């Protein structure tokens, strides 16, 4: 296959590029490098089946030659990043999705949209199945991401229903692993950085809010299976092992053998506005139609991630 991956210099996009190259496919990586980094794909330069184009996908996209698949992974994805880049976040999810769908249509390529558990907002049911419509504040600080991704899903299904584009939608839950940015503001790099440098781990609010963390290799496997399946409607890919943020802080302290203390802080800013109180994927559908479930335990995945960050601090 000849595959376009937008956001290829990002955390997930770069791992996806590795996977498809390893299988013998040709990958064209595209990224505007707002939050992506060339360091994530430096090892691919010189690879004869990899090429890179620096481009904003919310401007017209030109790709020479045939394409078999378009994987749209470009977007800021950390709350800090979309607070800092609200308009690019809205544009890449809306106009960028439209442009990449238009490209897939023109090339007759299969299309896969990276969506998110944020489409469920601050959910009123837990765990969240794909049939849940969500509980999103459109005008809060997270709205720029949540609504762009909800629009992207609507646009993807419209291209499928109206133009017959062969589409897939993955709803990605919290994912961690090597190549996350040390200072992207998310809880995984924040806590690991704090633990490795002997600083207090900053648990926001009372730490009773929950998340469910999946290791990046599990996500890549789920996306790969979804792309090769015939499921058009969204599929959750995440690890259902839910824990509180306080429990997560304790796990990081233990696995890093850190002397850091855990402190409760109350950021008086937008970082905690509309912060979902619970989040856990219902992965019944992925189990049934993809035969997929996560394989990597939190301690194994965190060990890999901590080793990566040790070299960065
Ligand atoms: N969080 C925290 N301390 C930090 C960073 C994040 O307690 O230093 C909390 C945050 O309030 C949220 C959870 O960790 O409840 C996950 O935040 P993250 O930014 O990783 O992503 P989200 O799942 O909210 O998109």
């Amino acid at each position: 296959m000849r595959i376009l991956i937008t956001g290829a210099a990002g955390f997930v996009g770069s791992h996806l590029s590795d996977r498809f190259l390893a299988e013998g496919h040709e990958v064209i990586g595209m990224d505007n490098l707002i939050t992506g980094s060339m360091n994530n794909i430096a090892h691919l330069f010189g690879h004869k089946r990899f090429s890179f184009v620096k481009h904003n996908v919310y401007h017209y996209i030109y790709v020479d030659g045939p394409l078999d698949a378009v994987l749209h992974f470009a977007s800021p994805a950390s709350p800090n990043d979309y607070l800092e880049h609200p308009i690019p976040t809205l544009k890449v999810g809306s106009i960028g999705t439209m442009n990449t769908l238009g490209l897939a249509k023109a090339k007759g390529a299969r299309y896969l949209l990276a969506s998110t558990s944020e489409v469920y907002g601050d959910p009123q049911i837990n765990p969240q199945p794909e049939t849940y419509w969500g509980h999103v504040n459109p005008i809060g600080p997270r709205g720029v991401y949540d609504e762009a991704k909800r629009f992207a899903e609507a646009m993807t299904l419209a291209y499928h229903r109206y133009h017959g584009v062969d589409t897939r939608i993955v709803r990605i839950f919290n994912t961690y692993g090597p190549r996350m940015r040390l200072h992207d503001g998310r809880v995984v790099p924040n806590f690991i950085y704090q633990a490795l440098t002997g600083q207090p781990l900053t648990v926001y609010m009372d730490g009773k809010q929950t998340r469910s963390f999946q290791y990046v290799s599990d996500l890549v496997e789920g996306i790969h299976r979804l792309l090769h399946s015939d499921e058009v409607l969204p599929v959750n890919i995440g690890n259902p092992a839910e824990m509180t943020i306080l429990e997560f802080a304790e796990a990081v302290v233990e696995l890093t053998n850190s002397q850091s203390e855990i402190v409760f802080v109350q950021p008086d800013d937008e970082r905690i506005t509309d912060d979902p109180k619970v989040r856990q994927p219902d992965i019944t559908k992925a189990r049934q139609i993809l035969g997929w479930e996560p394989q990597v335990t939190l301690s194994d995945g965190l060990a890999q991630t901590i080793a990566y960050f040790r070299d960065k601090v």
Side-chain angles (χ1 to χ4, degrees), residues 261-289:
E261 52 171 347
I262 295 173
V263 296
F264 295 93
V265 297
Q266 192 71 36
D268 54 355
D269 61 22
E270 293 180 316
R271 270 178 296 175
I272 52 162
T273 306
D274 303 331
D275 192 348
K277 286 176 273 305
V278 292
R279 181 180 291 156
Q280 186 202 140
D282 181 331
I283 59 164
T284 309
K285 186 173 178 183
R287 279 199 178 102
Q288 280 172 355
I289 66 169

PDB file of all heavy atoms in Angstrom, residues 261-289:
ATOM      1  N   GLU A 261       7.369  13.576  46.628  1.00  0.00           N
ATOM      2  CA  GLU A 261       6.089  13.487  47.314  1.00  0.00           C
ATOM      3  C   GLU A 261       4.974  13.770  46.312  1.00  0.00           C
ATOM      4  O   GLU A 261       5.222  14.243  45.208  1.00  0.00           O
ATOM      5  CB  GLU A 261       6.038  14.466  48.489  1.00  0.00           C
ATOM      6  CG  GLU A 261       6.404  15.871  48.099  1.00  0.00           C
ATOM      7  CD  GLU A 261       6.154  16.879  49.203  1.00  0.00           C
ATOM      8  OE1 GLU A 261       5.478  16.545  50.187  1.00  0.00           O
ATOM      9  OE2 GLU A 261       6.623  18.010  49.051  1.00  0.00           O
ATOM     10  N   ILE A 262       3.762  13.441  46.738  1.00  0.00           N
ATOM     11  CA  ILE A 262       2.596  13.705  45.896  1.00  0.00           C
ATOM     12  C   ILE A 262       1.834  14.864  46.519  1.00  0.00           C
ATOM     13  O   ILE A 262       1.528  14.826  47.713  1.00  0.00           O
ATOM     14  CB  ILE A 262       1.706  12.448  45.797  1.00  0.00           C
ATOM     15  CG1 ILE A 262       2.463  11.330  45.062  1.00  0.00           C
ATOM     16  CG2 ILE A 262       0.382  12.760  45.108  1.00  0.00           C
ATOM     17  CD1 ILE A 262       1.767   9.980  45.051  1.00  0.00           C
ATOM     18  N   VAL A 263       1.577  15.918  45.740  1.00  0.00           N
ATOM     19  CA  VAL A 263       0.866  17.079  46.277  1.00  0.00           C
ATOM     20  C   VAL A 263      -0.433  17.302  45.491  1.00  0.00           C
ATOM     21  O   VAL A 263      -0.525  16.958  44.312  1.00  0.00           O
ATOM     22  CB  VAL A 263       1.720  18.369  46.226  1.00  0.00           C
ATOM     23  CG1 VAL A 263       2.946  18.234  47.125  1.00  0.00           C
ATOM     24  CG2 VAL A 263       2.135  18.714  44.807  1.00  0.00           C
ATOM     25  N   PHE A 264      -1.403  17.868  46.177  1.00  0.00           N
ATOM     26  CA  PHE A 264      -2.673  18.205  45.521  1.00  0.00           C
ATOM     27  C   PHE A 264      -2.638  19.680  45.176  1.00  0.00           C
ATOM     28  O   PHE A 264      -2.354  20.511  46.048  1.00  0.00           O
ATOM     29  CB  PHE A 264      -3.848  17.898  46.447  1.00  0.00           C
ATOM     30  CG  PHE A 264      -3.976  16.428  46.733  1.00  0.00           C
ATOM     31  CD1 PHE A 264      -3.373  15.864  47.853  1.00  0.00           C
ATOM     32  CD2 PHE A 264      -4.681  15.594  45.873  1.00  0.00           C
ATOM     33  CE1 PHE A 264      -3.474  14.505  48.108  1.00  0.00           C
ATOM     34  CE2 PHE A 264      -4.777  14.233  46.109  1.00  0.00           C
ATOM     35  CZ  PHE A 264      -4.174  13.687  47.228  1.00  0.00           C
ATOM     36  N   VAL A 265      -2.860  19.987  43.925  1.00  0.00           N
ATOM     37  CA  VAL A 265      -2.859  21.394  43.518  1.00  0.00           C
ATOM     38  C   VAL A 265      -4.166  21.725  42.815  1.00  0.00           C
ATOM     39  O   VAL A 265      -4.846  20.855  42.275  1.00  0.00           O
ATOM     40  CB  VAL A 265      -1.659  21.755  42.600  1.00  0.00           C
ATOM     41  CG1 VAL A 265      -0.339  21.567  43.307  1.00  0.00           C
ATOM     42  CG2 VAL A 265      -1.698  20.959  41.318  1.00  0.00           C
ATOM     43  N   GLN A 266      -4.488  22.985  42.861  1.00  0.00           N
ATOM     44  CA  GLN A 266      -5.752  23.464  42.303  1.00  0.00           C
ATOM     45  C   GLN A 266      -5.415  24.502  41.250  1.00  0.00           C
ATOM     46  O   GLN A 266      -5.431  25.690  41.536  1.00  0.00           O
ATOM     47  CB  GLN A 266      -6.571  24.090  43.450  1.00  0.00           C
ATOM     48  CG  GLN A 266      -8.006  24.391  43.151  1.00  0.00           C
ATOM     49  CD  GLN A 266      -8.845  23.125  43.032  1.00  0.00           C
ATOM     50  OE1 GLN A 266      -8.621  22.154  43.753  1.00  0.00           O
ATOM     51  NE2 GLN A 266      -9.807  23.130  42.134  1.00  0.00           N
ATOM     52  N   PRO A 267      -5.057  24.082  40.019  1.00  0.00           N
ATOM     53  CA  PRO A 267      -4.715  25.098  39.032  1.00  0.00           C
ATOM     54  C   PRO A 267      -5.926  26.001  38.803  1.00  0.00           C
ATOM     55  O   PRO A 267      -7.023  25.499  38.561  1.00  0.00           O
ATOM     56  CB  PRO A 267      -4.392  24.304  37.765  1.00  0.00           C
ATOM     57  CG  PRO A 267      -4.327  22.881  38.161  1.00  0.00           C
ATOM     58  CD  PRO A 267      -5.093  22.747  39.434  1.00  0.00           C
ATOM     59  N   ASP A 268      -5.728  27.330  38.977  1.00  0.00           N
ATOM     60  CA  ASP A 268      -6.889  28.223  38.824  1.00  0.00           C
ATOM     61  C   ASP A 268      -6.971  28.683  37.375  1.00  0.00           C
ATOM     62  O   ASP A 268      -7.069  29.853  37.072  1.00  0.00           O
ATOM     63  CB  ASP A 268      -6.801  29.418  39.785  1.00  0.00           C
ATOM     64  CG  ASP A 268      -5.498  30.165  39.627  1.00  0.00           C
ATOM     65  OD1 ASP A 268      -4.641  29.698  38.848  1.00  0.00           O
ATOM     66  OD2 ASP A 268      -5.337  31.210  40.278  1.00  0.00           O
ATOM     67  N   ASP A 269      -6.846  27.750  36.446  1.00  0.00           N
ATOM     68  CA  ASP A 269      -6.887  28.117  35.039  1.00  0.00           C
ATOM     69  C   ASP A 269      -7.725  27.109  34.274  1.00  0.00           C
ATOM     70  O   ASP A 269      -8.362  26.229  34.848  1.00  0.00           O
ATOM     71  CB  ASP A 269      -5.480  28.244  34.450  1.00  0.00           C
ATOM     72  CG  ASP A 269      -4.717  26.935  34.517  1.00  0.00           C
ATOM     73  OD1 ASP A 269      -5.356  25.871  34.612  1.00  0.00           O
ATOM     74  OD2 ASP A 269      -3.481  26.967  34.474  1.00  0.00           O
ATOM     75  N   GLU A 270      -7.659  27.265  32.947  1.00  0.00           N
ATOM     76  CA  GLU A 270      -8.536  26.473  32.098  1.00  0.00           C
ATOM     77  C   GLU A 270      -8.148  25.004  32.024  1.00  0.00           C
ATOM     78  O   GLU A 270      -8.884  24.208  31.467  1.00  0.00           O
ATOM     79  CB  GLU A 270      -8.511  27.068  30.675  1.00  0.00           C
ATOM     80  CG  GLU A 270      -9.129  28.447  30.618  1.00  0.00           C
ATOM     81  CD  GLU A 270      -9.095  29.017  29.209  1.00  0.00           C
ATOM     82  OE1 GLU A 270      -8.048  28.882  28.559  1.00  0.00           O
ATOM     83  OE2 GLU A 270     -10.109  29.569  28.777  1.00  0.00           O
ATOM     84  N   ARG A 271      -6.981  24.659  32.582  1.00  0.00           N
ATOM     85  CA  ARG A 271      -6.538  23.277  32.454  1.00  0.00           C
ATOM     86  C   ARG A 271      -7.518  22.294  33.093  1.00  0.00           C
ATOM     87  O   ARG A 271      -7.607  21.147  32.700  1.00  0.00           O
ATOM     88  CB  ARG A 271      -5.144  23.091  33.079  1.00  0.00           C
ATOM     89  CG  ARG A 271      -4.036  23.328  32.092  1.00  0.00           C
ATOM     90  CD  ARG A 271      -2.697  23.194  32.746  1.00  0.00           C
ATOM     91  NE  ARG A 271      -2.504  24.215  33.764  1.00  0.00           N
ATOM     92  CZ  ARG A 271      -1.459  24.277  34.557  1.00  0.00           C
ATOM     93  NH1 ARG A 271      -0.517  23.368  34.487  1.00  0.00           N
ATOM     94  NH2 ARG A 271      -1.335  25.248  35.434  1.00  0.00           N
ATOM     95  N   ILE A 272      -8.222  22.762  34.128  1.00  0.00           N
ATOM     96  CA  ILE A 272      -9.119  21.814  34.799  1.00  0.00           C
ATOM     97  C   ILE A 272     -10.595  22.095  34.520  1.00  0.00           C
ATOM     98  O   ILE A 272     -11.455  21.361  34.994  1.00  0.00           O
ATOM     99  CB  ILE A 272      -8.871  21.778  36.327  1.00  0.00           C
ATOM    100  CG1 ILE A 272      -8.921  23.186  36.910  1.00  0.00           C
ATOM    101  CG2 ILE A 272      -7.558  21.082  36.642  1.00  0.00           C
ATOM    102  CD1 ILE A 272      -9.113  23.183  38.397  1.00  0.00           C
ATOM    103  N   THR A 273     -10.878  23.126  33.731  1.00  0.00           N
ATOM    104  CA  THR A 273     -12.277  23.392  33.379  1.00  0.00           C
ATOM    105  C   THR A 273     -12.819  22.233  32.550  1.00  0.00           C
ATOM    106  O   THR A 273     -12.207  21.826  31.565  1.00  0.00           O
ATOM    107  CB  THR A 273     -12.388  24.709  32.583  1.00  0.00           C
ATOM    108  OG1 THR A 273     -11.758  25.742  33.331  1.00  0.00           O
ATOM    109  CG2 THR A 273     -13.839  25.073  32.316  1.00  0.00           C
ATOM    110  N   ASP A 274     -13.942  21.706  32.958  1.00  0.00           N
ATOM    111  CA  ASP A 274     -14.595  20.588  32.246  1.00  0.00           C
ATOM    112  C   ASP A 274     -13.739  19.319  32.205  1.00  0.00           C
ATOM    113  O   ASP A 274     -13.951  18.450  31.351  1.00  0.00           O
ATOM    114  CB  ASP A 274     -14.986  20.968  30.805  1.00  0.00           C
ATOM    115  CG  ASP A 274     -15.903  22.182  30.739  1.00  0.00           C
ATOM    116  OD1 ASP A 274     -16.670  22.397  31.710  1.00  0.00           O
ATOM    117  OD2 ASP A 274     -15.855  22.914  29.734  1.00  0.00           O
ATOM    118  N   ASP A 275     -12.751  19.212  33.087  1.00  0.00           N
ATOM    119  CA  ASP A 275     -11.921  18.006  33.162  1.00  0.00           C
ATOM    120  C   ASP A 275     -12.838  16.799  33.435  1.00  0.00           C
ATOM    121  O   ASP A 275     -13.530  16.781  34.456  1.00  0.00           O
ATOM    122  CB  ASP A 275     -10.920  18.187  34.315  1.00  0.00           C
ATOM    123  CG  ASP A 275      -9.818  17.147  34.329  1.00  0.00           C
ATOM    124  OD1 ASP A 275      -9.919  16.149  33.599  1.00  0.00           O
ATOM    125  OD2 ASP A 275      -8.864  17.344  35.094  1.00  0.00           O
ATOM    126  N   PRO A 276     -12.880  15.818  32.530  1.00  0.00           N
ATOM    127  CA  PRO A 276     -13.777  14.679  32.760  1.00  0.00           C
ATOM    128  C   PRO A 276     -13.482  13.992  34.108  1.00  0.00           C
ATOM    129  O   PRO A 276     -12.321  13.771  34.447  1.00  0.00           O
ATOM    130  CB  PRO A 276     -13.465  13.746  31.586  1.00  0.00           C
ATOM    131  CG  PRO A 276     -12.962  14.645  30.507  1.00  0.00           C
ATOM    132  CD  PRO A 276     -12.205  15.732  31.224  1.00  0.00           C
ATOM    133  N   LYS A 277     -14.546  13.685  34.838  1.00  0.00           N
ATOM    134  CA  LYS A 277     -14.367  13.088  36.166  1.00  0.00           C
ATOM    135  C   LYS A 277     -14.072  11.595  36.089  1.00  0.00           C
ATOM    136  O   LYS A 277     -13.434  11.044  36.963  1.00  0.00           O
ATOM    137  CB  LYS A 277     -15.603  13.366  37.022  1.00  0.00           C
ATOM    138  CG  LYS A 277     -15.643  14.833  37.477  1.00  0.00           C
ATOM    139  CD  LYS A 277     -16.899  15.178  38.246  1.00  0.00           C
ATOM    140  CE  LYS A 277     -18.045  15.583  37.361  1.00  0.00           C
ATOM    141  NZ  LYS A 277     -17.773  16.707  36.427  1.00  0.00           N
ATOM    142  N   VAL A 278     -14.566  10.966  35.039  1.00  0.00           N
ATOM    143  CA  VAL A 278     -14.296   9.537  34.836  1.00  0.00           C
ATOM    144  C   VAL A 278     -14.034   9.296  33.359  1.00  0.00           C
ATOM    145  O   VAL A 278     -14.497  10.056  32.503  1.00  0.00           O
ATOM    146  CB  VAL A 278     -15.486   8.637  35.282  1.00  0.00           C
ATOM    147  CG1 VAL A 278     -15.665   8.679  36.788  1.00  0.00           C
ATOM    148  CG2 VAL A 278     -16.771   9.033  34.572  1.00  0.00           C
ATOM    149  N   ARG A 279     -13.294   8.235  33.076  1.00  0.00           N
ATOM    150  CA  ARG A 279     -13.137   7.826  31.669  1.00  0.00           C
ATOM    151  C   ARG A 279     -12.660   6.377  31.631  1.00  0.00           C
ATOM    152  O   ARG A 279     -11.627   6.038  32.204  1.00  0.00           O
ATOM    153  CB  ARG A 279     -12.136   8.716  30.949  1.00  0.00           C
ATOM    154  CG  ARG A 279     -11.992   8.314  29.478  1.00  0.00           C
ATOM    155  CD  ARG A 279     -11.010   9.187  28.738  1.00  0.00           C
ATOM    156  NE  ARG A 279     -11.498  10.544  28.561  1.00  0.00           N
ATOM    157  CZ  ARG A 279     -10.701  11.596  28.376  1.00  0.00           C
ATOM    158  NH1 ARG A 279      -9.393  11.438  28.374  1.00  0.00           N
ATOM    159  NH2 ARG A 279     -11.214  12.786  28.199  1.00  0.00           N
ATOM    160  N   GLN A 280     -13.443   5.565  30.959  1.00  0.00           N
ATOM    161  CA  GLN A 280     -13.037   4.172  30.757  1.00  0.00           C
ATOM    162  C   GLN A 280     -13.676   3.676  29.462  1.00  0.00           C
ATOM    163  O   GLN A 280     -14.885   3.817  29.283  1.00  0.00           O
ATOM    164  CB  GLN A 280     -13.523   3.298  31.931  1.00  0.00           C
ATOM    165  CG  GLN A 280     -12.999   1.879  31.836  1.00  0.00           C
ATOM    166  CD  GLN A 280     -13.808   0.848  32.614  1.00  0.00           C
ATOM    167  OE1 GLN A 280     -14.008  -0.260  32.135  1.00  0.00           O
ATOM    168  NE2 GLN A 280     -14.282   1.211  33.795  1.00  0.00           N
ATOM    169  N   PRO A 281     -12.895   3.097  28.565  1.00  0.00           N
ATOM    170  CA  PRO A 281     -13.510   2.605  27.327  1.00  0.00           C
ATOM    171  C   PRO A 281     -14.271   1.307  27.566  1.00  0.00           C
ATOM    172  O   PRO A 281     -13.792   0.427  28.278  1.00  0.00           O
ATOM    173  CB  PRO A 281     -12.296   2.334  26.426  1.00  0.00           C
ATOM    174  CG  PRO A 281     -11.185   2.004  27.372  1.00  0.00           C
ATOM    175  CD  PRO A 281     -11.439   2.839  28.607  1.00  0.00           C
ATOM    176  N   ASP A 282     -15.438   1.212  26.949  1.00  0.00           N
ATOM    177  CA  ASP A 282     -16.095  -0.090  26.813  1.00  0.00           C
ATOM    178  C   ASP A 282     -15.545  -0.668  25.501  1.00  0.00           C
ATOM    179  O   ASP A 282     -15.787  -0.101  24.433  1.00  0.00           O
ATOM    180  CB  ASP A 282     -17.610   0.107  26.740  1.00  0.00           C
ATOM    181  CG  ASP A 282     -18.351  -1.218  26.610  1.00  0.00           C
ATOM    182  OD1 ASP A 282     -17.777  -2.171  26.041  1.00  0.00           O
ATOM    183  OD2 ASP A 282     -19.511  -1.297  27.053  1.00  0.00           O
ATOM    184  N   ILE A 283     -14.795  -1.758  25.594  1.00  0.00           N
ATOM    185  CA  ILE A 283     -14.144  -2.285  24.379  1.00  0.00           C
ATOM    186  C   ILE A 283     -14.805  -3.571  23.877  1.00  0.00           C
ATOM    187  O   ILE A 283     -14.193  -4.338  23.122  1.00  0.00           O
ATOM    188  CB  ILE A 283     -12.622  -2.486  24.564  1.00  0.00           C
ATOM    189  CG1 ILE A 283     -12.317  -3.453  25.709  1.00  0.00           C
ATOM    190  CG2 ILE A 283     -11.930  -1.153  24.752  1.00  0.00           C
ATOM    191  CD1 ILE A 283     -10.864  -3.968  25.668  1.00  0.00           C
ATOM    192  N   THR A 284     -16.064  -3.767  24.275  1.00  0.00           N
ATOM    193  CA  THR A 284     -16.788  -4.954  23.808  1.00  0.00           C
ATOM    194  C   THR A 284     -16.750  -5.051  22.276  1.00  0.00           C
ATOM    195  O   THR A 284     -16.516  -6.124  21.716  1.00  0.00           O
ATOM    196  CB  THR A 284     -18.264  -4.873  24.272  1.00  0.00           C
ATOM    197  OG1 THR A 284     -18.256  -4.613  25.675  1.00  0.00           O
ATOM    198  CG2 THR A 284     -19.006  -6.161  23.985  1.00  0.00           C
ATOM    199  N   LYS A 285     -16.977  -3.908  21.628  1.00  0.00           N
ATOM    200  CA  LYS A 285     -17.050  -3.913  20.164  1.00  0.00           C
ATOM    201  C   LYS A 285     -15.697  -4.287  19.548  1.00  0.00           C
ATOM    202  O   LYS A 285     -15.632  -5.114  18.626  1.00  0.00           O
ATOM    203  CB  LYS A 285     -17.505  -2.533  19.677  1.00  0.00           C
ATOM    204  CG  LYS A 285     -17.749  -2.464  18.191  1.00  0.00           C
ATOM    205  CD  LYS A 285     -18.356  -1.111  17.802  1.00  0.00           C
ATOM    206  CE  LYS A 285     -18.553  -1.036  16.305  1.00  0.00           C
ATOM    207  NZ  LYS A 285     -19.067   0.277  15.878  1.00  0.00           N
ATOM    208  N   ALA A 286     -14.621  -3.689  20.048  1.00  0.00           N
ATOM    209  CA  ALA A 286     -13.284  -4.004  19.511  1.00  0.00           C
ATOM    210  C   ALA A 286     -12.956  -5.479  19.729  1.00  0.00           C
ATOM    211  O   ALA A 286     -12.368  -6.132  18.868  1.00  0.00           O
ATOM    212  CB  ALA A 286     -12.231  -3.113  20.156  1.00  0.00           C
ATOM    213  N   ARG A 287     -13.331  -5.999  20.890  1.00  0.00           N
ATOM    214  CA  ARG A 287     -13.104  -7.435  21.162  1.00  0.00           C
ATOM    215  C   ARG A 287     -13.846  -8.295  20.152  1.00  0.00           C
ATOM    216  O   ARG A 287     -13.291  -9.236  19.593  1.00  0.00           O
ATOM    217  CB  ARG A 287     -13.610  -7.797  22.562  1.00  0.00           C
ATOM    218  CG  ARG A 287     -12.661  -7.444  23.676  1.00  0.00           C
ATOM    219  CD  ARG A 287     -13.022  -8.241  24.958  1.00  0.00           C
ATOM    220  NE  ARG A 287     -12.086  -7.940  26.018  1.00  0.00           N
ATOM    221  CZ  ARG A 287     -12.347  -7.117  27.035  1.00  0.00           C
ATOM    222  NH1 ARG A 287     -13.525  -6.531  27.133  1.00  0.00           N
ATOM    223  NH2 ARG A 287     -11.425  -6.881  27.946  1.00  0.00           N
ATOM    224  N   GLN A 288     -15.116  -7.920  19.912  1.00  0.00           N
ATOM    225  CA  GLN A 288     -15.950  -8.765  19.049  1.00  0.00           C
ATOM    226  C   GLN A 288     -15.551  -8.662  17.589  1.00  0.00           C
ATOM    227  O   GLN A 288     -15.395  -9.683  16.917  1.00  0.00           O
ATOM    228  CB  GLN A 288     -17.421  -8.372  19.203  1.00  0.00           C
ATOM    229  CG  GLN A 288     -18.036  -8.967  20.456  1.00  0.00           C
ATOM    230  CD  GLN A 288     -19.439  -8.434  20.736  1.00  0.00           C
ATOM    231  OE1 GLN A 288     -19.935  -7.546  20.042  1.00  0.00           O
ATOM    232  NE2 GLN A 288     -20.068  -8.964  21.777  1.00  0.00           N
ATOM    233  N   ILE A 289     -15.393  -7.445  17.084  1.00  0.00           N
ATOM    234  CA  ILE A 289     -15.220  -7.359  15.626  1.00  0.00           C
ATOM    235  C   ILE A 289     -13.763  -7.338  15.192  1.00  0.00           C
ATOM    236  O   ILE A 289     -13.468  -7.652  14.051  1.00  0.00           O
ATOM    237  CB  ILE A 289     -15.988  -6.166  15.006  1.00  0.00           C
ATOM    238  CG1 ILE A 289     -15.406  -4.857  15.492  1.00  0.00           C
ATOM    239  CG2 ILE A 289     -17.480  -6.242  15.273  1.00  0.00           C
ATOM    240  CD1 ILE A 289     -15.949  -3.690  14.711  1.00  0.00           C
TER     241      ILE A 289
END
